[in-house]
Amino acid sequence: MKKVKVELGSNSYEIRIGADLLTRTGLWLRERGFSGKAAIITDTTVKGLYIDALNQGLTIAGFKAATLEVPAGEEQKSLESAGRLYHELTSSYAERTTPILALGGGVIGDLAGFVAATYMRGVPLIHIPTTLLAQVDSSIGGKTAVDHGQLKNVIGVFYQPKLVVADIDTLKTLPEDELTNGMAEVIKHAVIRNRNFFDFLDNNLEKARAIDMSVLEEIVLENVRIKAEIVAKDEKESGLRGILNYGHTVGHAIEAASNFQLKHGQCVAIGMIAAARISNKMGKLDKSDVTRLTDVIRKAGLPTEMPDLKMEDIIQAMKHDKKVQQDKIRFVLLKSIGDTFITDEVSPSLVEEALLGQE
Ligand SMILES: NC(=O)c1ccc[n+]([C@@H]2O[C@H](COP(=O)([O-])OP(=O)(O)OC[C@H]3O[C@@H](n4cnc5c(N)ncnc54)[C@H](O)[C@@H]3O)[C@@H](O)[C@H]2O)c1
């Protein structure tokens, strides 16, 4: 097992990464001074697969755990679901010291995190991410949220967990498209911060897609290191943390223009290529790096071509994005693989050219 610490002063916490960790989580909670009750929030799919292993360890460590279940899917990231969960927490007599264990993907992490942050003004939160995206991204950094109508993540709060347990064995049951979806964030982390890790991905993505556990462990570990370092330097996203939005300005716009029919990872993949092309057109990034990024995205099984959507819808959606500040669209761009800069000097016509692949 590997450990990475997110250094946030009194809010610091550890991320544990390795195989067969679910049964050991109860003991680790006990070591952290928790005892008595625990509440597990999970979705129906993940419950069927992993609740027994988690419960086994919790029981051995002396916990009495209640399981609060929601159906799988983004629709559950809502105030209505949060309301039902508050009700179940009060019904199971959850107290201010009762830890909430978020067992699942990013949807469960965001929803359970939001509930933990607000129930009784905040109860301890433990993330147990079971998708690649949740292990490399959403469980680290303390962003919690629910959606409101078509608006994603508009109601939320920063709330750091006490511990993150990333059991890579859970990735064995993940549907292929969910693994691919998570790979977009994996590539993003490498491209913004670590060229050596990017090279590793270039050489090992095929093995990762074939569920080579040692490669997957290395991927999760390196991603966690990158995200933990960025979050530690800028907990509330007032500066550096903004680079994690690489590929997301265009990516979110494509996602919205597709009425959320395209998966987030697919949209981010195209967004990353567009941002690299823009960087190149602005004379900052070498053409060979654009080609390499496109190749790695292709190797991950992600799309590299613009989907069949109206350009004006994408540009319009971009103007409505959260990242727009004082009417300027904010872009994270590349100087080279591993090195970013932020600008609001990108014109919509440049975005259009980049999406259409014009040289
Ligand atoms: N908080 C953050 O910083 C942050 C960052 C990125 C994304 N997010 C959020 O994360 C969410 C997406 O998360 P996601 O991609 O993990 O999706 P998800 O949570 O919907 O999980 C995807 C699907 O996989 C299933 N699943 C989960 N683990 C499984 C396993 N081990 N085996 C088999 N099936 C499994 C789930 O039941 C679900 O059907 C979005 O709501 C997004 O906004 C948050």
Side-chain angles (χ1 to χ4, degrees):
M1 181 185 62
K2 307 282 187 341
K3 297 178 188 175
V4 176
K5 194 164 178 197
V6 186
E7 300 281 358
L8 291 170
S10 58
N11 283 338
S12 296
Y13 53 96
E14 223 173 61
I15 300 163
R16 299 190 166 189
I17 302 145
D20 193 18
L21 305 187
L22 290 181
T23 49
R24 294 152 77 184
T25 304
L27 198 63
W28 294 334
L29 290 186
R30 201 149 192 133
E31 284 168 8
R32 278 168 168 67
F34 297 110
S35 61
K37 290 178 201 155
I40 304 166
I41 298 180
T42 189
D43 74 29
T44 310
T45 309
V46 177
K47 181 183 171 203
L49 292 164
Y50 298 113
I51 199 76
D52 288 348
L54 181 61
N55 260 330
Q56 190 191 329
L58 287 167
T59 307
I60 291 169
F63 286 93
K64 202 166 163 354
T67 301
L68 282 53
E69 179 185 342
V70 297
E74 179 73 26
E75 314 78 57
Q76 293 305 315
K77 260 179 65 171
S78 66
L79 281 176
E80 290 72 30
S81 296
R84 278 195 297 277
L85 291 169
Y86 297 135
H87 179 70
E88 289 183 41
L89 286 168
T90 50
S91 305
S92 59
Y93 304 103
E95 298 158 12
R96 286 199 69 183
T97 52
T98 305
I100 287 184
L101 281 55
L103 174 70
V107 165
I108 287 297
D110 280 9
L111 172 67
F114 179 74
V115 167
T118 45
Y119 181 70
M120 291 193 172
R121 299 196 186 90
V123 298
L125 168 67
I126 315 296
H127 277 303
I128 310 174
T130 62
T131 62
L132 181 64
L133 178 130
Q135 294 190 355
V136 303
D137 192 359
S138 60
S139 65
I140 313 151
K143 279 190 182 177
T144 76
V146 293
D147 304 333
H148 186 63
Q150 278 285 68
L151 298 173
K152 284 201 62 176
N153 300 325
V154 279
I155 306 168
V157 55
F158 281 97
Y159 193 68
Q160 302 295 344
K162 299 289 177 209
L163 176 70
V164 180
V165 179
D167 186 334
I168 56 160
D169 277 341
T170 60
L171 301 179
K172 289 179 188 163
T173 57
L174 199 61
E176 193 183 352
D177 62 335
E178 295 297 345
L179 192 80
T180 310
N181 190 46
M183 282 302 175
E185 305 296 340
V186 166
I187 295 168
K188 178 196 77 180
H189 285 144
V191 87
I192 60 170
R193 209 65 181 161
N194 189 330
R195 196 176 182 106
N196 288 339
F197 179 48
F198 186 87
D199 294 341
F200 175 86
L201 290 178
D202 199 358
N203 295 324
N204 288 282
L205 271 177
E206 273 159 33
K207 286 188 192 160
R209 292 178 73 190
I211 316 294
D212 177 319
M213 292 315 280
S214 67
V215 169
L216 281 175
E217 181 164 354
E218 185 62 27
I219 286 179
V220 175
L221 177 65
E222 205 46 57
N223 269 274
V224 165
R225 282 192 182 129
I226 293 170
K227 184 144 186 201
E229 181 241 347
I230 294 172
V231 167
K233 288 187 175 143
D234 179 19
E235 184 183 0
K236 301 270 168 77
E237 198 168 325
S238 48
L240 178 71
R241 193 165 170 172
I243 68 171
L244 291 168
N245 289 320
Y246 180 72
H248 282 63
T249 309
V250 171
H252 277 157
I254 293 177
E255 207 175 351
S258 80
N259 269 326
F260 298 93
Q261 295 308 301
L262 290 171
K263 281 190 88 67
H264 179 72
Q266 297 179 319
C267 301
V268 169
I270 298 161
M272 288 194 288
I273 294 172
R277 286 183 185 154
I278 292 168
S279 313
N280 172 255
K281 283 171 191 293
M282 290 175 78
K284 304 284 187 192
L285 181 71
D286 212 80
K287 185 85 206 285
S288 61
D289 274 353
V290 184
T291 308
R292 276 200 79 201
L293 175 60
T294 310
D295 284 348
V296 165
I297 286 173
R298 190 176 297 112
K299 277 187 193 171
L302 287 159
T304 57
E305 300 293 335
M306 165 82 173
D308 190 14
L309 294 170
K310 279 203 200 123
M311 187 63 75
E312 62 199 73
D313 291 349
I314 297 173
I315 303 289
Q316 212 38 46
M318 222 163 52
K319 290 180 178 164
H320 281 110
D321 193 85
K322 284 200 299 264
K323 285 176 287 300
V324 175
Q325 288 182 356
Q326 279 148 19
D327 283 342
K328 298 250 185 185
I329 301 171
R330 184 155 270 239
F331 266 87
V332 182
L333 298 179
L334 295 175
K335 288 186 216 160
S336 64
I337 287 174
D339 194 6
T340 55
F341 68 102
I342 295 180
T343 178
D344 52 17
E345 298 301 324
V346 178
S347 65
S349 62
L350 195 54
V351 176
E352 221 167 291
E353 279 174 37
L355 277 170
L356 295 173
Q358 288 165 4
E359 299 302 316

